């Protein structure tokens, strides 16, 4: 029987420092974003030397099959845009670093 050897890693500045952390995995408290009847739960995770955001989405779908398919197509398209914005262009995300009301000149 193979035995998995894992080295304990210290807690981070942002992890929950409780039962959510493991020997070599540290997890933040979950942040919940609600919109309409849907919600997203985001957790920051460090596993070994890799760090990532874990996102769980719950999005209600229409009972009408054609509308549900449209909703799923929209979800897939926007998730692709979201991943691109967060991973490839983190400083281009609207609302981050942009302060149009301050930079706008009075006419
Ligand atoms: Zn921890």
């Amino acid at each position: 029987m193979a035995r998995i050897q894992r080295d304990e890693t210290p807690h981070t500045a942002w992890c929950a420092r409780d039962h959510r952390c493991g020997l070599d995995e540290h997890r933040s408290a979950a942040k919940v974003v609600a919109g309409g009847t849907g919600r997203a739960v985001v957790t920051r995770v460090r596993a070994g030397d890799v760090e990532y955001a874990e996102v769980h989405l719950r999005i209600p779908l229409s009972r009408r099959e054609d509308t549900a398919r449209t909703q799923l197509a929209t979800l897939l398209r926007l998730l692709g845009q979201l991943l691109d914005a967060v991973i490839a262009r983190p400083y281009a995300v609207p609302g981050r670093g942009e302060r149009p009301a301050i930079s706008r000149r009075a006419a």
Side-chain angles (χ1 to χ4, degrees):
M1 179 178 216
R3 186 172 177 171
I4 299 173
Q5 177 76 30
R6 297 187 305 180
D7 294 327
E8 185 173 356
T9 58
H11 289 293
T12 68
W14 47 261
C15 69
R17 297 173 180 250
D18 60 15
H19 64 280
R20 289 169 275 201
C21 295
L23 278 177
D24 64 349
E25 181 181 276
H26 298 276
R27 305 175 68 84
S28 70
K31 301 286 186 190
V32 178
V33 178
T37 55
R39 70 182 207 153
V41 180
V42 180
T43 305
R44 184 174 178 176
V45 180
R46 178 179 292 166
D49 60 351
V50 177
E51 196 167 310
Y52 57 91
E54 185 177 274
V55 181
H56 293 263
L57 294 171
R58 178 172 285 237
I59 301 172
L61 297 175
S62 173
R63 292 180 182 204
R64 289 181 44 128
E65 182 61 21
D66 59 337
T67 303
R69 286 176 182 257
T70 299
Q71 288 176 303
L72 288 168
T74 301
L75 173 64
L76 292 173
R77 180 175 49 82
L78 293 177
L79 283 174
Q81 291 177 7
L82 174 67
L83 291 172
D84 181 54
V86 172
I87 296 168
R89 299 177 289 115
Y91 298 105
V93 175
R96 177 165 181 151
E98 296 176 10
R99 307 191 68 181
I102 292 174
S103 61
R104 189 178 308 136
R105 291 181 180 264

